[in-house]
Amino acid sequence: MFLFPAIHGAIAAEYWLASPLLNSDPMKVADTVELEPRAQAQRLEIPAGILGLEHIKEYELIANPAEEPFMWLQSAGVPDVAFLLISPFLVMPEYRPDISDNDSESLGLRGAQDAQVFNIVTVRGASAATVNLKGPIILNRHTNTARQVVLNNAADYSVRHPIVIP
């Protein structure tokens, strides 16, 4: 079991307020996520799937510089299933996810430096969004294998932590 160190930063844009791709369902987008010329897609394997969508195992992590600090996790086989992601450390700098030894071992993590942490954002209307801090997606940055985990210290966090735009 290990804790991830905090990475400090600030939310850079109000992108989530104006995006035409977003709607009230965090698992669906209006259409597939269109890749901009500068966007990058990274193929990920999520062997256990995402909670509620365990049958979908392959995703693409899509990063578009114009949408930073947000990213998309889009199903490779079901293009209308996608999740909006953000680094939790941008939302809550003191976030310390404690993942189990079993989760660490299943991902082949030897330490925090091997992992990247993302959390799912839910847009709630035109001017509010929350982030699930209890169930982050942990990515082994060397193998591109990820897993949604329930933290050992999940009681310390909310599934609806508000995102505040400064």
Side-chain angles (χ1 to χ4, degrees):
M1 155 169 53
F2 59 88
L3 293 169
F4 288 88
I7 300 170
H8 296 279
I11 295 178
E14 294 184 20
Y15 165 76
W16 60 274
L17 290 174
S19 174
L21 294 173
L22 301 177
N23 62 36
S24 61
D25 185 342
M27 296 186 297
K28 293 202 178 255
V29 290
D31 282 310
T32 60
V33 177
E34 297 292 327
L35 287 179
E36 297 295 324
R38 293 180 31 210
Q40 298 177 357
Q42 174 183 355
R43 184 73 98 164
L44 303 182
E45 177 82 19
I46 305 180
I50 300 293
L51 185 62
L53 295 170
E54 292 84 359
H55 63 285
I56 300 175
K57 312 288 186 193
E58 294 184 13
Y59 288 85
E60 289 186 343
L61 183 62
I62 302 170
N64 181 355
E67 297 175 343
E68 288 180 358
F70 300 97
M71 300 176 81
W72 290 100
L73 183 65
Q74 181 177 21
S75 167
V78 186
D80 65 339
V81 174
F83 300 90
L84 185 62
L85 303 179
I86 193 167
S87 167
F89 306 109
L90 296 174
V91 176
M92 177 183 263
E94 65 277 10
Y95 187 63
R96 299 290 186 280
D98 181 5
I99 68 171
S100 72
D101 289 339
N102 287 341
D103 288 330
S104 296
E105 289 172 19
S106 73
L107 286 167
L109 301 175
R110 292 184 292 266
Q113 72 281 357
D114 294 337
Q116 200 167 359
V117 182
F118 300 101
N119 293 72
I120 297 174
V121 174
T122 301
V123 176
R124 301 184 181 284
S127 62
T130 60
V131 63
N132 176 355
L133 296 176
K134 286 184 181 275
I137 296 170
I138 309 295
L139 168 67
N140 180 322
R141 64 178 75 230
H142 305 295
T143 65
N144 288 340
T145 301
R147 180 179 186 93
Q148 185 175 29
V149 304
V150 175
L151 300 175
N152 286 336
N153 57 341
D156 296 342
Y157 301 109
S158 171
V159 293
R160 292 185 174 182
H161 182 82
I163 296 177
V164 178
I165 301 294

